[in-house]
Amino acid sequence: MADTLPVDSLSIAAVVAHVDETKGSDDTGNGSVEAPYQSAVKALQAHGNNVSIQVWKVAAADSGETSGYAAISGAALKKAVKKAAELEKKAKKVAEQAAEQAAKDQAAAEERERVLEAAKKVILVEDPSLPTAARIKIRDSVANRGKRVRISGWVHRLRVQGKNMQFVILRDGTGFLQCVLNNELCQTYDSLTLTLESTITVYGVINELPEGKTAPDNHELTVDYWECIGKAPGGEEAMSNKVNENSDPSVKYDLRHLVLREEKAAGILKVRSQVMKAFRDHFDNRGFTEVTPPAMVQTSVEGGSTLFELNYYNEKAYLTQSSQLYLETCLPSLGDVYCLAESFRAEKSHTRRHLSEYTHCEAEMAFINFDDLLAGLEEMVCDVIDRTLAHKPSADIIYKLNPDFKKPERPFLRMDYADAIQYLKDNDIKKEDGTFYEFGEDIPEAPERAMTDKINRPIFLCRFPAEIKSFYMKRCPENRALTESVDVLMPGVGEIVGGSMRISDLEELMAAYVREGLDPEPYYWFTEQRKYGTSEHGGFGLGVERYIAWLLNLHTVRDACLYPRFTGRAFP
């Protein structure tokens, strides 16, 4: 379009275009009365200067005129012509720049292809005069400085510095190692096409870095030979394009196998491993025996509404909610026992602290009282922390992910359920309907966490009413309406442990079956623990994922396990 075209020439236009600034659209309009444009500029762009522009005008209420289309004013037309010419000039410039860039890209692509073809002719050969490289893991790299070694792993980070230097941060699951490729080593086809997450094997000597330079473990491997084992895709299929920190949570769960390669996810799992070891070491140090109870059962522990049912050879069976009842049967033969096993709860809860499958640390102890149980719980929580922090790699991860972490002070706060109900009232913590929680009601997650976070220290919430607790819990001797029960609450996550003394009296247990409407027959093997030499005993169950979420200040327990299972997700 020429911006020097006389405005008067538009008066002989053959094409009529309608413009309605209020109801028109420059995207979907075509200039008709039914689909007008929104702007006169669009009309000029669509039809050129050979157009008669009719603009919708709204008549004033007291003018006596009617609203309708009228020819565009000369001033408005002149302004539109100028704007259209400016836009055309700008578009032409953009097109020229795009064409220029395309030519540069084409030339760069051709040069890249030429370089790659030349690189295919560069063949690396290991120097036979060098010492044989010892195969090690990255965790052993400090102890092997100055020696020629061979290490395999994944390319975690990659940086090219000119044509003759390449830095690779290698990851093998045991640590990270900076590797330097020089000259011919970074001029091969594999080096020029190397991508993140490719697997490689490097040979060379590890040397400490001079002062002022930094790298993992303050050293780097100077590579004298290397080979590519498996090339990962680049471009759109590159891992960084598949999943990153801004990806939607559902995408991250779908691609959990890739998310696990990220430093945070891997760090969480390493801490989890150490925490599991710390639990085992804690119990082993105190003479407990680890047992492995069945995961498929035909009785419930925590109520039938949360059972996952399955067809077991044409019989009805369930995935276990808890191994507690089986652990109790081991007390007469093995003494104090524990397990670290999976439990399953069919709760349709979309909260940050619920999983359908979780790791349950459960323990049962004979010949104890309620005070013994509380003391043992406090000792376990703190001892596991101490053991985990004593492992420096785990401590480093903990303080990296949770810089403000402080070990809980002992003794933990003891608070009765009745006092908690009063605390909620005193601190104006109410139900969704605006009413207060009353004695005898279960305290849900939200008010429980609000109370715990406000108090900001571990709490032993004790002595719940029998009506809201499980059938097997022992009544308080001083008040038979209450149970010798406890929930351990932690700031930021809420309940992580539930425990109690267990009913030791046969008649009391039989009455509990009746009260809860349970058929005692399927529980005969559990009931007979009271028949063949009963004892005062108690125990607890701890959710490992909740413990780790508290330790690492994680937003959700879903990040504290390998492949989380929760409502609507059992894949991958």
Side-chain angles (χ1 to χ4, degrees):
M1 180 186 302
D3 56 0
T4 57
L5 186 68
V7 173
D8 292 343
S9 65
L10 297 175
S11 61
I12 59 172
V15 178
V16 177
H18 297 82
V19 173
D20 187 333
E21 294 180 354
T22 302
K23 298 181 179 179
S25 171
D26 285 347
D27 295 324
T28 61
N30 58 20
S32 65
V33 173
E34 296 78 11
Y37 297 120
Q38 187 179 29
S39 69
V41 172
K42 181 62 179 179
L44 292 170
Q45 289 176 326
H47 304 288
N49 285 323
N50 188 30
V51 61
S52 174
I53 300 176
Q54 298 287 308
V55 179
W56 179 265
K57 298 184 183 296
V58 179
D62 56 355
S63 66
E65 300 176 354
T66 59
S67 300
Y69 283 104
I72 189 171
S73 68
L77 178 58
K78 184 175 182 180
K79 183 178 179 181
V81 169
K82 183 178 180 182
K83 180 65 175 176
E86 290 174 352
L87 292 175
E88 183 178 19
K89 185 177 181 180
K90 184 177 179 180
K92 183 178 180 181
K93 184 176 181 180
V94 170
E96 290 173 350
Q97 291 174 338
E100 184 180 345
Q101 185 60 49
K104 289 180 179 179
D105 292 344
Q106 178 64 25
E110 291 174 357
E111 175 61 17
R112 170 76 172 170
E113 191 63 31
R114 185 193 68 76
V115 170
L116 290 178
E117 283 300 315
K120 291 177 181 179
K121 299 175 183 178
V122 180
I123 307 299
L124 299 180
V125 178
E126 185 178 3
D127 186 345
S129 68
L130 293 174
T132 301
R135 183 174 179 271
I136 68 167
K137 295 287 188 180
I138 292 176
R139 65 175 170 235
D140 303 316
S141 56
V142 173
N144 284 275
R145 286 177 178 173
K147 305 174 185 176
R148 189 166 185 263
V149 296
R150 170 168 59 100
I151 304 175
S152 299
W154 287 260
V155 176
H156 188 67
R157 285 195 289 272
L158 179 64
R159 178 165 60 91
V160 177
Q161 189 169 308
K163 294 182 178 180
N164 295 312
M165 185 172 288
Q166 199 169 29
F167 292 89
V168 174
I169 301 296
L170 196 65
R171 181 191 76 239
D172 72 349
T174 72
F176 299 89
L177 176 65
Q178 179 167 288
C179 307
V180 184
L181 283 65
N182 289 299
N183 302 321
E184 190 178 60
L185 295 175
C186 55
Q187 294 169 1
T188 66
Y189 181 82
D190 281 337
S191 66
L192 294 179
T193 58
L194 193 60
T195 51
L196 296 180
E197 296 306 319
S198 294
T199 45
I200 64 175
T201 298
V202 292
Y203 298 68
V205 177
I206 301 172
N207 294 303
E208 188 173 0
L209 287 173
E211 189 174 346
K213 293 189 176 182
T214 59
D217 289 325
N218 196 39
H219 61 205
E220 65 184 14
L221 184 145
T222 302
V223 180
D224 59 57
Y225 175 72
W226 74 283
E227 52 190 343
C228 184
I229 309 301
K231 191 76 64 68
E236 292 184 3
E237 284 296 302
M239 181 176 147
S240 56
N241 288 329
K242 297 274 285 185
V243 62
N244 54 61
E245 62 179 12
N246 297 319
S247 297
D248 185 87
S250 63
V251 173
K252 289 186 177 182
Y253 292 130
D254 286 341
L255 300 179
R256 180 71 175 163
H257 60 292
L258 297 180
V259 171
L260 294 176
R261 301 182 181 210
E262 296 175 351
E263 291 182 45
K264 180 179 179 179
I268 292 170
L269 293 179
K270 287 179 179 179
V271 170
R272 177 190 170 99
S273 174
Q274 196 62 31
V275 166
M276 298 279 279
K277 181 179 184 299
F279 275 115
R280 286 191 165 94
D281 289 345
H282 169 83
F283 288 117
D284 183 64
N285 183 258
R286 285 154 180 77
F288 283 66
T289 300
E290 182 176 8
V291 295
T292 308
M296 293 184 290
V297 300
Q298 292 187 302
T299 53
S300 74
V301 180
E302 303 296 340
S305 64
T306 63
L307 285 167
F308 282 109
E309 185 177 320
L310 57 96
N311 185 327
Y312 186 71
Y313 301 112
N314 295 321
E315 288 188 67
K316 188 178 291 187
Y318 312 97
L319 295 177
T320 184
Q321 301 165 310
S322 166
S323 298
Q324 174 204 318
L325 306 190
Y326 292 95
L327 292 180
E328 288 190 47
T329 68
C330 298
L331 292 176
S333 57
L334 301 177
D336 297 343
V337 293
Y338 78 98
C339 71
L340 279 164
E342 298 305 285
S343 286
F344 305 85
R345 301 283 174 92
E347 294 180 88
K348 294 183 178 180
S349 299
H350 292 275
T351 74
R352 294 188 291 159
R353 68 175 194 173
H354 280 93
L355 290 167
S356 299
E357 176 185 359
Y358 64 97
T359 302
H360 216 168
C361 176
E362 299 183 87
E364 292 293 320
M365 295 150 284
F367 303 107
I368 64 168
N369 59 35
F370 191 45
D371 286 337
D372 295 330
L373 176 63
L374 297 184
L377 272 172
E378 187 175 282
E379 174 65 23
M380 180 197 68
V381 170
C382 295
D383 185 49
V384 169
I385 293 172
D386 290 341
R387 290 175 183 273
T388 304
L389 291 177
H391 183 251
K392 187 178 183 306
S394 295
D396 290 343
I397 296 171
I398 289 170
Y399 287 114
K400 181 178 180 180
L401 297 181
N402 188 9
D404 298 326
F405 176 74
K406 292 181 177 61
K407 293 194 293 185
E409 295 182 5
R410 300 173 65 177
F412 292 178
L413 176 66
R414 267 70 166 169
M415 175 185 283
D416 282 353
Y417 164 86
D419 294 330
I421 291 294
Q422 188 60 47
Y423 182 94
L424 296 180
K425 291 180 178 179
D426 293 344
N427 288 270
D428 203 34
I429 300 174
K430 301 178 181 179
K431 302 177 188 177
E432 290 185 357
D433 64 5
T435 62
F436 285 110
Y437 290 92
E438 300 296 339
F439 189 92
E441 294 181 316
D442 188 31
I443 302 176
E445 176 191 4
E448 180 183 85
R449 287 188 62 173
M451 177 181 70
T452 307
D453 291 350
K454 191 166 186 176
I455 294 174
N456 196 32
R457 60 180 291 196
I459 302 171
F460 279 151
L461 190 57
C462 303
R463 299 178 180 85
F464 290 82
E467 290 73 17
I468 62 174
K469 282 298 181 180
S470 299
F471 73 93
Y472 51 76
M473 292 188 177
K474 185 178 179 64
R475 301 292 183 107
C476 293
E478 69 277 9
N479 186 345
R480 301 286 294 172
L482 305 178
T483 55
E484 290 190 320
S485 53
V486 59
D487 284 353
V488 181
L489 311 180
M490 287 294 187
V493 69
E495 180 194 346
I496 65 169
V497 181
S500 76
M501 294 299 292
R502 318 308 192 188
I503 293 176
S504 58
D505 182 76
L506 179 59
E507 291 185 4
E508 185 179 347
L509 180 59
M510 297 305 294
Y513 288 138
V514 173
R515 185 182 69 251
E516 298 298 326
L518 294 172
D519 179 5
E521 180 57 30
Y523 293 91
Y524 73 92
W525 50 276
F526 173 70
T527 306
E528 290 189 352
Q529 299 304 305
R530 284 82 183 158
K531 179 179 179 181
Y532 293 96
T534 191
S535 68
E536 294 300 323
H537 64 287
F540 59 85
L542 175 145
V544 173
E545 287 81 9
R546 291 188 183 181
Y547 187 91
I548 293 170
W550 163 68
L551 185 63
L552 298 179
N553 192 31
L554 302 180
H555 176 72
T556 170
V557 295
R558 297 173 184 178
D559 292 340
C561 53
L562 188 64
Y563 285 91
R565 297 293 184 251
F566 51 91
T567 306
R569 180 166 292 274
F571 181 85

